[in-house]
Amino acid sequence: VRRHLKATTEPAQLPPDPAAREALLDMVGTDMLMFASDYPHDHGASGAAFLEALDGATREAVTRSNAAAFYGFTTAASTSGPR
């Protein structure tokens, strides 16, 4: 299932309690999440609040590298090396 199924971030109805939110993310696994806007539907600030609750590495994975890996994309971040 983990190879063929991903969850998206919108609409994000996360628990308001940070400990409960962390437990949920640990249970699901942030590697299973990909950013989605659900445009043109507006779900308020839930998506932004969700992304703000993530640390930088997890936010990068959810907004970029998880989707790139799932769809086989190469991103600028994954191709840039030391200059």
Side-chain angles (χ1 to χ4, degrees), residues 3 6 11-12 37-38 52 55 74-76:
R3 283 189 312 164
K6 298 292 181 192
S37 68
D38 202 22
E52 290 171 7
D55 63 64
T74 301
T75 66

Side-chain angles (χ1 to χ4, degrees), residues 3-82:
R3 283 189 312 164
H4 301 288
L5 177 77
K6 298 292 181 192
T8 60
T9 59
E10 195 65 51
Q13 304 300 323
L14 295 174
D17 175 46
R21 185 172 48 239
E22 194 65 35
L24 176 64
L25 292 173
D26 286 343
M27 181 178 65
V28 172
T30 54
D31 62 315
M32 294 291 292
L33 296 174
M34 295 189 298
F35 177 78
S37 68
D38 202 22
Y39 181 83
H41 306 289
D42 182 11
H43 295 283
S46 63
F50 170 73
L51 292 175
E52 290 171 7
L54 302 176
D55 63 64
T58 303
R59 187 178 310 115
E60 192 281 332
V62 169
T63 59
R64 174 182 259 178
S65 61
N66 289 348
F70 185 71
Y71 291 110
F73 297 155
T74 301
T75 66
S78 65
T79 59
S80 62

